[in-house]
Amino acid sequence: MALPQAKLTCGNLLERGESAAGRTAKNTGIVEIPHQTVKRITCIGSGFVGGPTSAVIAYMSDVDVTVVDINSDRISAWKSASLPIYEPGLDEIVQAVRARVRPSQHFDNHDSNTGADGATSARRAKLFFSTDVDQAIVDADLIFVCVNTPTKSHGIGKGSAADLDFVEAATRNIARVATQDKIVVEKSTVPCRTAQSIREILAANAHPGVRFDVLSNPEFLAEGTAIRDLLNPDRIIIGSMPTSAGQRAAATLVEVYEQWVPRERIITMNLWSSELSKLAANAMLAQRISSVNALSAICEATGADVDEVSYACGLDSRIGSQMLKAGPGFGGSCFQKDIFNIVYLSESLHLYEIADYWRAIINMNEHQKQRFTKRIISCLYNNLAGKKLAVLGFAFKKDTSDTRESPAITLVSNFVAERARVAVYDPRVPEDQVWRELLNNGSDAVMLKRNVSVCRTAYEACMAADAVVVMTEWDEFSNKSVAGITVKREERMPLASLDVNSYSRPYASPQGARHDASRVLSSHKLDGAASFKVPARKGTGVVIKDPSNGEIKTFASQRPSSGSSPMQSPLDFSASFQSTPHQTPRLMSSNVNVNIMPHETLISSQQFPGEYLTSAGFPTGDEIAQVTDILHSTAASSTEERLEAAEITSRRATNTKLDWARIASGMRKPMFVFDGRNILDHCKLEALGFRVEAIGKRGTIVSE
């Protein structure tokens, strides 16, 4: 999907910043300090922080960004159609700025890209991926350190202190390779005063005459909304030494961000405050989750509804509504690790009561997982042996493929320990990732192989199940009556214009994922009868709407028969074709001919997995009409509108709701649903014969 080129200029942002209330005196003059202008950034580390951050900087600024990693498989994935991580909007941004040549060939090329037909595109390649770490360090003006900082698994501080091996290795490599002055930006989440260690290592190992300035620039990304957080951040924190050199370095990084971030949101402070602000923010967010989860236990015992209690509390402006959703416990790579960092720091400073306070948040989180497990066992007559439990969702939250510290890992492991048979389904998590997480959690490999299966559909997972356990709040699992795709009228926009002659890749889900759902690519008004091509990998569908009568035309190609090679040649649409919104033909040929009349509009090219052509099928006419309504609106001009487009694309990918009646027809009786995320309409499920249990709520009352 090609994204619009319009963006806020540096001048506009500065103008907005001058009139904004609350801009501190400390920030006002820093950009006036003489400083270096960054042309090239290198990001060491291509994970959940480094990859998206680099992509957005390349997209929103005039800086060339190279992402490097010693993991060649991960770098290859970043260069491929299947990115190694999933974030709504990330694929579109990467495709817009990703290079198709090596960085060394492109760093000095500041001209626009020239296509195969000689046409020049408006957006040149500015994002590069490489395993040549040393060369990228040499080329860079500024270096982001975005490496992993896991909790130590050995020695002093085991289980709580941060393991800084990767940070130190990256720092020593920078000092070894760099032959010119560099600005080194600590972006990984690290304990307070880690920047001092980085400064000392760089100074001790630097080549003669080479100077390093160290900044702290913590990330505040929430997985599932990382692209929105990067494009429209609440704040950008930049920590520096209180010296003239430190302030010049900070001004250099400020200039990069203010190309799209309002100036009043870019806050400068000292190094140690910047480092601690990241840990403090995550600890406070985790504290809110553990607090509402503690209240959920009281609600279950008293008959109160935790959603209603949370709503009432969230109306208090001093509290707010964010992070007050009860669930099976928080997960992800940050909350637990960062709280442990604060615990270890407090103990190191002999602040033991403070350490105990923060450790209680972790203890509450673990208690919530075990409490939910015990409730499930109790409802299933205190015996899980031989029973099948369908676990819907394995990611720690929706709209991400991240499974680190996911509560589902603990619950599945507990079920296996009780000799239950467990069927796992997640729309975005690859199968090998599920196995890896369960093995790393200490589960017995033999028992896992015998008792756990990873399914391709929710229906497969729920077939003949005794209970369904909802662990991730994916929209497709919910049966609540909400619109599938809704956008405010003033925010509606075409997602992109489609060059049907040059478009050559299908929508790809995360590497290893089992299926792709539909992707809206474009709204393209045809001036006459057209012949064009779209890729024919797996199942391919195209939807056409005739605005004269509102008729939706859809068609698809069948997947190859078992044992045959996948279709590689594109589909050629050039002859007549007829269908209706409710009848989608299954065309067996890899060369499908379709005539599109001059007055018709190409709504979307859609990718479906071959396995799903018969079970899930194409979207309904109503669903397509919703998308069409968005596509036929005015063009976007703001960052928020461009992001809305990317999120619409992502939501459509998991927009098909589960048919809970179909699930009920295949389950064993009595049928249990354990709503770990409170995303289900319990009355509707009870009408289908389910017994429903949810965190923070009383369960179904069984009639005598």
Side-chain angles (χ1 to χ4, degrees):
M1 180 176 104
L3 298 181
Q5 305 299 313
K7 66 177 181 181
L8 295 173
T9 65
C10 183
N12 290 338
L13 290 172
L14 288 173
E15 182 179 350
R16 289 169 58 182
E18 290 293 347
S19 61
R23 183 175 177 183
T24 65
K26 188 172 187 178
N27 288 331
T28 303
I30 195 167
V31 289
E32 282 71 40
I33 298 174
H35 59 273
Q36 174 187 5
T37 296
V38 172
K39 295 182 179 179
R40 304 168 180 175
I41 290 176
T42 287
C43 177
I44 302 177
S46 62
F48 278 90
V49 174
T53 299
S54 298
V56 170
I57 290 176
Y59 181 76
M60 296 300 294
S61 76
D62 56 6
V63 178
D64 289 341
V65 185
T66 298
V67 182
V68 294
D69 204 303
I70 60 174
N71 186 330
S72 59
D73 290 340
R74 180 172 283 265
I75 290 297
S76 296
W78 278 109
K79 293 179 177 180
S80 73
S82 298
L83 302 186
I85 64 175
Y86 169 72
E87 277 289 332
L90 175 61
D91 182 76
E92 288 77 11
I93 287 180
V94 170
Q95 293 302 318
V97 292
R98 185 171 61 184
R100 291 173 175 80
V101 295
R102 293 179 300 160
S104 60
Q105 295 175 324
H106 224 82
F107 258 135
D108 296 322
N109 180 11
H110 293 280
D111 298 326
S112 299
N113 287 334
T114 300
D117 59 355
T120 301
S121 63
R123 185 178 294 277
R124 65 181 176 85
K126 296 185 294 179
L127 180 64
F128 311 91
F129 296 94
S130 174
T131 56
D132 192 347
V133 180
D134 291 357
Q135 185 60 50
I137 290 173
V138 170
D139 290 338
D141 302 314
L142 183 147
I143 302 169
F144 282 131
V145 178
C146 296
V147 297
N148 192 20
T149 54
T151 302
K152 284 187 70 175
S153 59
H154 58 278
I156 297 175
K158 175 183 178 180
S160 58
D163 188 338
L164 300 179
D165 282 353
F166 297 126
V167 173
E168 182 173 344
T171 302
R172 291 184 179 277
N173 197 41
I174 292 169
R176 178 183 64 83
V177 172
T179 56
Q180 294 180 325
D181 295 354
K182 306 288 181 185
I183 298 174
V184 178
V185 182
E186 169 196 82
K187 205 158 186 67
S188 300
T189 302
V190 294
C192 191
R193 298 197 70 84
T194 298
Q196 182 61 30
S197 300
I198 293 175
R199 294 177 70 243
E200 292 176 0
I201 292 171
L202 290 171
N205 294 276
H207 290 283
V210 176
R211 175 186 176 82
F212 295 99
D213 291 299
V214 178
L215 301 176
S216 169
N217 177 217
E219 52 83 16
F220 296 95
L221 308 180
E223 287 170 273
T225 60
I227 300 303
R228 176 178 289 280
D229 297 337
L230 286 162
L231 291 174
N232 188 27
D234 294 328
R235 76 284 201 198
I236 297 291
I237 302 296
I238 299 174
S240 66
M241 293 296 292
T243 63
S244 58
Q247 290 180 343
R248 284 196 301 270
T252 296
L253 186 54
V254 166
E255 187 178 58
V256 173
Y257 281 117
E258 69 176 356
Q259 293 182 63
W260 78 94
V261 179
R263 183 62 187 85
E264 68 272 13
R265 298 186 191 177
I266 305 175
I267 312 300
T268 57
M269 58 183 63
N270 75 51
L271 274 172
W272 329 127
S273 297
S274 176
E275 289 178 329
L276 188 56
S277 67
K278 164 65 176 182
L279 300 178
N282 278 346
M284 290 182 179
L285 292 172
Q287 179 189 50
R288 288 173 67 94
I289 296 174
S290 283
S291 294
V292 74
N293 282 342
L295 288 171
S296 73
I298 299 176
C299 289
E300 291 170 22
T302 61
D305 186 316
V306 71
D307 283 345
E308 295 175 348
V309 173
S310 298
Y311 176 73
C313 292
L315 293 175
D316 189 323
S317 60
R318 298 168 299 173
I319 299 173
S321 60
Q322 297 298 310
M323 310 298 283
L324 287 180
K325 186 71 173 177
F330 57 75
S333 63
C334 293
F335 284 1
Q336 180 169 295
K337 179 185 68 174
D338 292 354
I339 293 175
F340 275 138
N341 272 334
I342 292 180
V343 169
Y344 186 72
L345 176 63
S346 301
E347 291 176 339
S348 300
L349 298 172
H350 308 293
L351 303 173
Y352 300 110
E353 293 82 5
I354 307 303
D356 290 342
Y357 171 81
W358 291 109
R359 186 182 287 108
I361 296 172
I362 299 293
N363 293 341
M364 182 66 237
N365 196 55
E366 293 304 311
H367 172 70
Q368 186 76 346
K369 299 175 193 175
Q370 301 305 326
R371 197 173 67 82
F372 193 37
T373 300
K374 291 177 181 177
R375 184 173 179 185
I376 293 170
I377 294 173
S378 176
C379 289
L380 293 175
Y381 315 111
N382 294 308
N383 175 34
L384 297 187
K387 294 178 181 176
K388 180 180 178 181
L389 276 64
V391 174
L392 300 186
F394 200 79
F396 83 93
K397 61 184 291 189
K398 73 173 184 177
D399 292 335
T400 181
S401 58
D402 194 357
T403 56
R404 289 174 292 182
E405 305 297 339
S406 172
I409 300 171
T410 299
L411 267 79
V412 170
S413 298
N414 289 345
F415 297 155
V416 172
E418 293 289 329
R419 302 298 190 269
R421 295 180 297 115
V422 184
V424 178
Y425 166 72
D426 190 288
R428 289 289 180 182
V429 178
E431 179 176 349
D432 60 346
Q433 190 171 326
V434 174
W435 295 117
R436 184 168 60 250
E437 291 285 12
L438 293 174
L439 288 170
N440 290 342
N441 194 51
S443 297
D444 179 73
V446 175
M447 187 173 293
L448 281 179
K449 188 68 174 178
R450 183 173 61 243
N451 287 17
V452 177
S453 60
V454 180
C455 302
R456 300 189 178 193
T457 73
Y459 301 112
E460 177 187 347
C462 296
M463 180 59 65
D466 295 272
V468 177
V469 184
V470 178
M471 291 298 297
T472 308
E473 67 278 22
W474 288 105
D475 292 339
E476 68 182 82
F477 298 157
S478 177
N479 66 336
K480 292 184 177 179
S481 300
V482 293
I485 301 177
T486 57
V487 183
K488 293 180 181 179
R489 172 64 62 180
E490 62 270 18
E491 295 176 344
R492 289 176 177 169
M493 54 171 288
L495 297 185
S497 60
L498 173 66
D499 181 352
V500 294
N501 295 312
S502 65
Y503 187 78
S504 61
R505 63 173 298 276
Y507 176 69
S509 62
Q511 188 176 30
R514 288 298 186 143
H515 62 275
D516 300 334
S518 65
R519 177 195 187 193
V520 178
L521 291 176
S522 72
S523 175
H524 183 74
K525 186 69 177 178
L526 300 176
D527 296 325
S531 175
F532 59 91
K533 298 180 179 181
V534 298
R537 299 178 181 89
K538 292 186 177 179
T540 302
V542 171
V543 182
I544 304 165
K545 179 176 180 179
D546 184 342
S548 64
N549 57 20
E551 181 184 9
I552 301 292
K553 296 182 180 180
T554 63
F555 55 87
S557 64
Q558 272 285 35
R559 65 186 177 102
S561 59
S562 177
S564 64
S565 60
M567 294 181 294
Q568 297 298 328
S569 60
L571 303 183
D572 182 43
F573 300 102
S574 60
S576 180
F577 182 86
Q578 295 293 328
S579 68
T580 69
H582 304 293
Q583 292 180 319
T584 300
R586 301 296 190 239
L587 305 177
M588 301 305 296
S589 171
S590 62
N591 293 311
V592 183
N593 297 321
V594 177
N595 182 44
I596 300 191
M597 301 305 295
H599 62 282
E600 295 176 334
T601 300
L602 172 64
I603 295 178
S604 66
S605 174
Q606 306 189 26
Q607 289 295 326
F608 288 91
E611 301 88 357
Y612 277 48
L613 283 174
T614 55
S615 62
F618 278 76
T620 66
D622 289 341
E623 289 174 329
I624 295 167
Q626 289 174 334
V627 177
T628 307
D629 195 24
I630 297 167
L631 292 174
H632 287 171
S633 304
T634 59
S637 59
S638 71
T639 296
E640 289 79 5
E641 288 173 325
R642 289 197 298 274
L643 181 59
E644 188 70 45
E647 290 186 344
I648 291 168
T649 297
S650 173
R651 288 198 300 270
R652 183 63 188 88
T654 54
N655 189 47
T656 304
K657 299 286 189 179
L658 287 186
D659 182 349
W660 282 93
R662 177 179 172 184
I663 289 175
S665 67
M667 287 183 62
R668 297 178 61 187
K669 306 296 190 292
M671 304 178 297
F672 287 85
V673 172
F674 297 94
D675 185 3
R677 296 290 183 172
N678 284 313
I679 61 171
L680 300 173
D681 185 322
H682 297 182
C683 292
K684 289 182 179 180
L685 292 180
E686 289 168 356
L688 293 173
F690 287 103
R691 287 186 55 180
V692 185
E693 304 283 334
I695 288 178
K697 300 180 181 182
R698 283 278 182 90
T700 300
I701 299 176
V702 181
S703 302
E704 295 294 339

